[in-house]
Structures are given as structure tokens and as C-alpha cells.
């Protein structure tokens, strides 16, 4: 059963109001204002249903709205006005809580959309890299060289060897310069930190010169670091040239041995690269169009319904704080401060959730802005990214302010025990949140001490289960049911890893190289090699956090959680993790097994031809999946 969060959070305030009303009634002095306070107090308590059957959210909203707008009758005493203000505060907080539940649903949709867009981004970059690499294949020099004499090959080798030496010398020089600049920068940063430490016990006036000195030293460090990174970037930019030069040297040596065979092989490779580039560009364009469409829909959701929901909830929490403060000035100082502190915590949590959502969206936009090749709407994405980063900073600042308000209210209310302990925990969280935000992270929301209303990047404390993986899912065990849905995918990945091991064994036996090294001989497959380095996924390592009819699943090493929802008693993922994912893993495994048989059967002349063969299989697989719409 769901509780009524506002009534739970304000239980002490309700008790104080109800107790006061009961006392006045017992004295047989109940006025119209006292009667209204008593009725409203009983109405709020009744919403809990005695702890067993909470009122329907619509009934809660109606009651909260009525009580929050109810004014005291003429002639009410200060105490009666204060009691009415306290009840209004509880009701406003309740309205904010109900709206925040809507926020949770909307944020779930946002997270699901982010995961889908990330998948499309992976397609864009993968197909773009394949197309770029294929376009870069230029065999004209090789074909001309095949017609030349051995002497001409020798001269070519001499030129390439000299060029390789020049590039390597330049590369080593750039790396040395980069390291030197970065070392100097680190020294400046240390020096600046040391200077700032000296200001710890100084007044602001006395510390100003040292702060300015530290800032100047740090700017020097930033300049040195920028120089170091510039040298590194330049070094990185010529690395491909070095690799290309080495590849040309190897190619020329092979051409000397068998010019005729190489000419046929080069011609075939050139034709295949052009065909693959065309197919990859088409697939990349389709991915970009789908990505843009989903990004536009996501932006509309965030700027529309989600923003309205957050604004509404935070407005209600703000009114709860204002009503509580009004009660303080009307004779209920202690209870008013307690209510103001509690409402401020609700407001801080809402701002925190908003900052967390903005951080997740900013992370997506940053990935999109940094995509290579650049997306067609690159400048628009950068503009959105800047605005979202500012949104996150603003929300985090508002959370800090609200928590400071809560601290002030609680500390002056005279409340001790659990309430004070909770405040101290929240204050510690804010300190951690500010630091993690500076580090461009925002993953400490679970430390708030109560369940987040918005799906968080990490499971809520105590929500994850240790149900045995692979066991039958008992009725009512939501975690076991979700893991049972994930088991086929984990099994498919395990099967694929067995095939990878066999492919590696075949490559070592045939070419004396590992599977990854064989892929590295082909520019279009080199980038794909890293995708097979992911650690073995075990079912017991997947964390599942369940809250009502929603759940968040955390995969080891994954950048974002996967949302699940329960519909008609059955759990389902909001992104493709079912048959589609299993089918893709099965197709990759099948492609690997067929290719391994070709390697073992001496179908490929060398490792380069083998890498080309696997790429051909993967391209065919991708085209088949697109054609099937899966």
C-alpha cells in the first residue's frame, strides 16, 4: 500500500494541531475558527485511513486543495490563525508530493528516451566510422607501384622508411613536450593549492591577496596544461599518419614478393570499400534522422510537461514553507519552524531531482555534441547543452538554499532526536552533492534518507534484492521476475564469449596473432575490437531496485540504468532488452562461428583478408537486422 507522504512527514505537526483543537473543544469553548481547524485536522488525518487504506490520490488532492486555500473566520485568535496556517502548510506539501509522483513518471520516460537515443548515437558513430575509413582507402598508389620494377619498389621503401623515421621523431618530440608542459602545470596547481591553504584561518580581507595570487598561479597552470594538451592533440593527429606509413611499408614488401596477386587483391579491396562506404553512409543517415526525431520529442517532453510538473511541485512546496512561516508569526513558533523545515526538505529534494534529471540529459547532449563524425544538428545540440548545464547548476543551487532553510528552521525549533539526525544526514549529503557536481557527477541522491520520487542512477538504499540468479521467479518476487527476463540475454552473451574464445584460438593457430590483433590489421575493424573487451556479465551482478510498479536495473559498467514497468502484473523493459537484443547477440555469435570455421579452413590468405572477411559478415548482419526492422 502507498502512504500519504506529506502526512507522514508532518505527523508531529498534525499531532500538535489536533491536540490543541481537542483541548479547546474539551474546555467547551469551541469557536467557529476552532471548529474549522478541528474539521480540517480530522480531514487530513482521515486521508491516511488509519494506516491501512490511504485515500485515493484524487481524494487527497481535493482535500489538500480545500484545506490549503481555507481562510480563518472573522475574529479568529492568533493561535487559531497559526493552527490554520500549519494545516495549510501540510496541505501544500501534500499537493507538491502528489505532483512529484507525476514527475517521477515523466522522468522515467525521459530516462527511457535517453537510452534509446544513446543506442542511435552508437549506430551513427559506428556506421560513420566505417564509411570514413572506407572512403579513406586509396589504392591508386599501390596499383601504380605494382607496375613498377623491383628497383622502384626499393626506392619507395627507402622513402617510406625515411618518412616513418621523421614521423616517429616528430611524434616523440611532441609527446615529450606534452609531458613536460603537463608536469609543469601540475606543479602550478599544487603551488596554487598550497597558497590557498594558507588562507584557511584568515579573514576575507587578509586572504584576498593570497587568493588572487593563487588564482594567478592557477591560470599559469591552466595555460601550461592547455599547451600540454595541444601538443598531445597534435601528436594524436599524426598517429594515423604513422600507422598508415607502416602499413604502406608492409604492403610494399608484400608487393615485391607477388605483384600480380597483390594487384588483384587491392582492386577487390577497393571495390568492396566503396560498396561498404555507401551502405554505411545510408545507415548512418537513417540513424541520424531517427535520433533527431527522438531528441526533438525528448526536448518537448522536458520543456513542456516535465517543466510544468516540477514548477507546480516546487510552487506547492514553496507555499508550504510560506504558510509554515506565517504560523510562526501567529503564535506557533516551534510547530511552524518544524513544518517549515520539513517543507524545505521536500523543496530541496525536488530541486535535487531536477538537477539529477538535468545532469542525465546534459550527459546525453555532451555525448551527442562530441560525436564523430559530427551530427547534422551539432550547433543546436551545443546550445541545448549549455542551457541544460545552467539548468543543473541552478537547480543544485536552489536545493542548497532550501536545505540551508531547513537547517535554520530545525535548529531553532528545539526539536531533538530523529528529526535532527535526519537534518544532519541531509546536510552532509549536500556537501557531497556540491563536490560531486564540481566533478561533473551527480550520483549521491540515495543518501537523502528516503525513497527518491524520481528514478535515480543508483538503486535506492535497501531496494536491491539478493534473489538467487536463474532461480524460478516466485509469485510476488518482483526482483526475481525481472532477473528471469534478463537471463536469456545474459546466457546469449555467455554463448557469444565462448565463440570469441574459439575465434581467438583459431587466429593464434593460423596467424600467430590474437583475434583483436587480426582485427587491427583492417582500419574499418580496428575500432570494433574494443567492443569485445567487455567483462563477463553475471546475473548476480545486475542490481534491481523496485519501487511500486517501476524498477531501475543497473548493469555492471553501464553508463545509465534501464527502466522497467509493471503492466497488468507483468514486468517489461522500456528499451529493447528482450527478443531483439537476444537475436542480435545470436547473429553476432553465428557470424563469429562461421568466420572461425573459415579461418580454420584456410579460406583466408593472411590476417588482413581474414579481417576483411569478418567485416563483410558483420555488414551483412547489420543490413539484415535493418531490413527486418529489428
Amino acid at each position: 500500500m502507498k502512504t500519504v507522504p506529506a502526512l507522514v512527514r508532518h505527523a508531529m505537526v498534525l499531532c500538535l494541531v489536533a491536540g490543541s483543537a481537542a483541548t479547546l473543544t474539551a474546555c467547551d469553548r469551541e469557536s467557529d475558527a476552532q471548529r474549522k481547524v478541528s474539521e480540517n485536522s480530522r480531514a487530513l488525518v482521515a486521508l491516511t485511513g488509519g494506516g491501512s487504506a490511504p485515500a485515493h490520490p484524487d481524494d487527497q488532492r481535493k482535500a489538500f486543495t480545500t484545506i490549503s486555500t481555507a481562510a480563518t473566520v472573522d475574529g479568529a485568535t492568533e493561535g487559531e490563525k497559526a493552527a490554520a496556517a500549519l494545516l495549510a502548510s501540510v496541505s501544500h506539501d501534500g499537493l507538491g508530493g502528489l505532483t512529484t509522483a507525476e514527475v517521477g513518471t515523466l522522468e522515467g520516460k525521459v530516462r527511457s528516451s535517453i537510452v534509446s537515443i544513446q543506442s542511435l548515437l552508437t549506430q551513427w558513430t559506428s556506421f560513420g566510422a566505417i564509411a570514413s575509413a572506407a572512403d579513406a582507402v586509396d589504392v591508386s598508389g599501390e596499383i601504380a607501384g605494382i607496375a613498377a620494377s623491383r628497383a622502384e619498389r626499393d626506392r619507395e621503401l627507402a622513402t617510406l622508411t625515411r618518412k616513418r623515421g621523421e614521423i616517429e621523431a616528430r611524434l616523440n618530440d611532441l609527446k615529450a613536450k606534452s609531458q613536460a608542459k603537463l608536469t609543469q602545470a601540475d606543479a602550478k596547481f599544487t603551488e596554487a593549492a598550497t597558497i590557498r591553504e594558507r588562507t584557511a584561518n584568515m579573514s576575507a580581507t587578509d586572504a584576498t591577496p593570497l587568493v588572487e595570487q593563487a588564482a594567478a598561479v592557477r591560470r599559469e597552470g591552466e595555460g601550461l596544461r592547455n599547451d600540454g594538451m595541444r601538443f598531445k592533440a597534435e601528436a594524436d593527429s599524426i598517429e594515423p599518419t604513422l600507422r598508415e606509413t607502416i602499413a604502406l611499408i608492409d604492403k610494399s614488401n608484400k608487393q615485391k614478393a607477388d605483384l600480380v596477386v597483390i594487384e588483384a587483391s587491392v582492386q577487390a579491396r577497393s571495390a568492396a570499400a566503396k560498396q561498404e562506404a555507401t551502405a554505411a553512409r545510408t545507415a548512418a543517415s537513417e540513424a541520424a534522422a531517427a535520433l533527431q526525431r527522438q531528441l526533438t520529442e525528448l526536448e518537448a517532453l522536458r520543456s513542456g510537461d516535465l517543466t510544468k510538473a516540477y514548477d507546480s511541485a516546487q510552487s506547492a512546496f514553496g507555499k508550504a514553507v510560506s504558510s509554515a512561516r506565517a504560523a510562526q508569526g501567529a503564535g506557533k513558533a516551534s510547530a511552524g519552524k518544524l513544518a517549515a523545515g520539513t517543507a524545505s526538505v521536500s523543496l530541496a529534494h525536488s530541486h535535487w531531482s531536477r538537477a539529477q534529471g538535468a545532469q542525465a540529459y546534459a550527459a546525453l547532449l555532451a555525448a551527442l555534441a562530441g560525436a564523430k563524425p559530427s551530427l547534422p544538428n551539432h550547433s543546436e545540440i551545443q546550445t541545448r547543452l549549455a542551457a541544460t548545464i545552467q539548468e543543473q547548476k541552478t537547480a543544485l543551487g536552489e536545493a542548497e538554499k532550501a536545505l540551508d532553510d531547513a537547517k535554520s528552521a530545525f535548529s531553532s525549533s528545539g526539536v531533538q532526536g530523529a528529526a535532527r539526525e535526519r537534518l544532519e544526514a541531509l546536510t552532509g549529503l549536500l556537501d557531497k552533492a556540491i563536490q560531486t557536481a564540481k566533478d561533473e557527477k551527480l550520483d549521491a541522491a540515495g543518501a537523502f534518507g528516503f525513497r527518491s520520487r524520481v528514478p535515480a542512477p543508483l538503486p535506492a538504499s535497501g531496494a536491491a534484492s539478493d534473489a538467487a540468479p536463474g532461480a524460478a521467479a516466485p509469485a510476488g518476487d518482483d526482483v526475481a521476475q525481472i532477473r528471469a527476463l534478463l537471463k536469456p540475454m545474459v546466457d546469449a552473451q555467455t554463448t557469444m564469449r565462448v565463440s570469441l574464445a574459439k575465434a581467438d584460438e583459431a587466429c593464434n593457430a593460423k596467424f600467430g596473432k590474437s583475434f583483436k590483433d587480426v582485427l587491427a590489421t583492417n582500419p574499418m575493424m580496428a575500432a570494433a575490437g574494443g567492443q569485445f573487451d567487455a567483462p563477463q556479465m553475471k546475473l548476480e551482478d545486475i542490481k534491481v531496485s523496485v519501487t511500486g510498479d517501476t524498477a531501475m536495473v543497473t548493469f555492471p559498467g553501464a553508463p545509465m540504468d534501464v527502466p522497467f514497468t509493471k503492466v497488468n502484473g507483468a514486468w517489461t523493459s522500456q528499451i529493447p532488452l528482450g527478443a531483439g537484443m537476444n537475436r542480435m547477440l545470436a547473429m553476432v555469435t553465428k557470424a563469429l562461428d562461421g568466420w572461425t570455421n573459415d579461418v580454420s579452413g584456410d579460406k583466408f590468405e593472411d590476417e588482413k583478408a581474414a579481417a576483411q572477411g569478418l567485416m563483410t559478415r558483420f555488414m551483412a548482419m547489420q543490413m539484415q537486422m535493418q531490413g527486418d526492422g529489428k
Side-chain angles (χ1 to χ4, degrees):
M1 293 291 182
K2 296 182 179 180
T3 60
V4 184
L7 303 182
V8 173
R9 293 194 296 275
H10 291 279
M12 185 180 297
V13 175
L14 283 175
C15 288
L16 289 173
V17 176
S20 299
T23 300
L24 293 176
T25 301
C27 295
D28 201 24
R29 295 185 291 105
E30 186 176 37
S31 66
D32 290 342
Q34 292 165 5
R35 186 178 306 106
K36 178 176 289 188
V37 169
S38 298
E39 290 173 353
N40 288 341
S41 178
R42 287 193 296 270
L44 287 180
V45 173
L47 292 179
T48 65
S52 61
H56 189 276
D58 290 343
D59 295 330
Q60 295 178 36
R61 188 180 300 278
K62 181 179 179 180
F64 287 147
T65 300
T66 299
I67 297 172
S68 66
T69 57
T72 57
V73 300
D74 293 337
T77 66
E78 290 299 306
E80 292 164 350
K81 293 178 181 178
L86 287 174
L87 292 176
S89 177
V90 174
S91 298
H92 282 305
D93 190 76
L95 289 171
L98 291 173
T99 305
T100 300
E102 299 171 8
V103 168
T105 300
L106 294 171
E107 284 285 15
K109 293 180 180 179
V110 168
R111 297 299 173 91
S112 177
S113 181
I114 286 175
V115 172
S116 178
I117 292 173
Q118 285 178 323
S119 176
L120 291 170
L121 175 61
T122 299
Q123 293 182 38
W124 163 261
T125 55
S126 298
F127 286 123
I130 291 173
S132 297
D135 286 335
V137 175
D138 182 6
V139 300
S140 59
E142 298 177 44
I143 295 174
I146 292 174
S149 64
R150 183 178 297 274
E152 184 178 357
R153 293 277 72 74
D154 289 339
R155 288 193 298 272
E156 184 179 64
L157 282 171
T159 299
L160 291 172
T161 301
R162 183 173 62 255
K163 180 180 178 181
R164 174 181 177 178
E166 293 171 352
I167 295 174
E168 288 176 337
R170 175 60 177 160
L171 187 60
N172 292 335
D173 179 60
L174 289 171
K175 289 181 177 179
K177 288 180 178 178
S178 174
Q179 184 59 49
K181 291 292 185 181
L182 293 175
T183 300
Q184 294 173 21
D186 288 342
K188 288 294 183 182
F189 293 148
T190 301
E191 180 183 351
T194 301
I195 294 172
R196 288 191 65 88
E197 288 175 359
R198 291 164 53 192
T199 68
N201 297 319
M202 293 182 180
S203 67
T205 301
D206 293 339
T208 298
L210 290 179
V211 171
E212 292 175 350
Q213 180 184 356
V217 172
R218 183 166 184 85
R219 285 194 297 272
E220 292 179 27
E222 294 289 354
L224 290 168
R225 182 172 63 182
N226 290 339
D227 290 340
M229 294 307 294
R230 178 170 53 80
F231 285 129
K232 183 179 182 301
E234 186 176 352
D236 291 343
S237 70
I238 66 175
E239 286 269 9
T241 304
L242 176 60
R243 291 194 295 269
E244 181 181 354
T245 302
I246 294 173
L248 290 174
I249 290 175
D250 293 340
K251 186 182 298 182
S252 294
N253 281 323
K254 186 171 180 61
Q255 288 173 343
K256 287 174 62 178
D258 194 346
L259 296 177
V260 175
V261 173
I262 288 182
E263 181 176 14
S265 175
V266 169
Q267 291 284 15
R269 179 161 55 89
S270 177
K274 291 178 181 178
Q275 181 180 0
E276 288 155 359
T278 299
R281 276 193 295 270
T282 299
S285 296
E286 293 174 352
L291 189 153
Q292 174 59 41
R293 183 175 61 256
Q294 291 191 22
L295 185 61
T296 299
E297 293 171 352
L298 174 56
E299 179 65 22
L301 173 61
R302 292 193 77 257
S303 62
D305 291 346
L306 184 60
T307 294
K308 291 178 182 177
Y310 269 123
D311 289 347
S312 177
Q314 290 164 9
S315 175
F317 291 138
K319 291 177 181 178
V321 173
S322 297
S323 294
R325 288 173 178 168
Q328 297 174 29
K332 293 287 185 180
S334 179
K337 290 177 180 179
L338 178 63
T342 304
S344 293
V345 169
S346 297
L347 182 59
H349 185 270
S350 181
H351 284 300
W352 175 269
S353 296
R354 195 169 196 165
Q356 189 180 63
Q359 190 271 345
Y361 186 44
L364 171 67
L365 294 174
L368 297 177
K372 298 297 180 183
S374 297
L375 286 162
N377 56 333
H378 179 260
S379 60
E380 178 185 347
I381 291 172
Q382 287 183 313
T383 300
R384 290 182 184 176
L385 174 59
T388 305
I389 291 174
Q390 184 56 50
E391 175 189 345
Q392 175 192 342
K393 291 179 179 179
T394 299
L396 197 58
E398 291 296 327
E400 179 182 3
K401 180 181 181 300
L403 199 53
D404 284 341
D405 291 342
K407 179 178 180 180
S408 176
F410 279 125
S411 61
S412 61
S413 67
V415 174
Q416 300 295 326
R420 186 171 296 279
E421 292 175 3
R422 184 184 185 205
L423 174 64
E424 292 172 353
L426 291 174
T427 304
L429 168 65
L430 182 61
D431 292 336
K432 182 177 180 181
I434 294 173
Q435 184 58 49
T436 52
K438 289 178 180 178
D439 296 336
E440 298 183 0
K441 298 177 181 178
L442 198 61
D443 57 3
F448 261 101
F450 51 89
R451 253 183 227 281
S452 171
R453 299 184 182 111
V454 179
L458 295 178
S461 176
S465 169
D466 294 324
D477 191 337
D478 293 321
V479 173
Q481 291 174 12
I482 292 174
R483 280 186 169 155
L485 293 175
L486 297 174
K487 187 176 185 301
M489 183 188 71
V490 174
D491 291 344
Q493 189 208 52
T494 300
T495 301
M496 184 185 72
R497 294 188 67 83
V498 172
S499 295
L500 283 172
K502 292 179 180 179
D504 190 67
E505 181 180 350
C507 289
N508 278 292
K510 176 63 177 178
F511 307 118
K513 294 185 177 182
S514 67
F515 173 70
K516 187 174 181 180
D517 288 340
V518 169
L519 295 190
T521 62
N522 186 307
M524 287 171 280
M525 288 299 293
Q531 300 180 24
F532 296 109
D533 292 337
Q536 173 81 37
M537 184 188 298
K538 298 180 180 179
L539 199 60
E540 59 265 28
D541 295 333
I542 300 175
K543 302 299 181 183
V544 181
S545 173
V546 178
T547 305
D549 290 340
T550 63
M552 299 300 290
V553 176
T554 305
F555 293 93
M560 185 169 295
D561 295 348
V562 177
F564 276 68
T565 56
K566 181 189 282 187
V567 180
N568 296 327
W571 286 99
T572 180
S573 169
Q574 296 182 22
I575 67 171
L577 283 183
M581 177 66 73
N582 299 339
R583 178 175 180 272
M584 183 195 74
L585 292 173
M587 292 180 69
V588 171
T589 300
K590 181 179 179 181
L592 283 171
D593 289 343
W595 179 79
T596 299
N597 291 335
D598 289 344
V599 172
S600 300
D602 295 331
K603 182 175 180 179
F604 303 115
E605 177 185 354
D606 53 24
E607 57 268 29
K608 293 182 181 179
Q612 174 72 31
L614 183 57
M615 184 180 69
T616 300
R617 283 181 176 271
F618 280 173
M619 286 296 295
M621 180 193 76
Q622 290 169 333
M623 293 303 104
Q624 180 182 349
M625 292 185 68
Q626 287 186 331
D628 292 345
K630 300 177 180 179

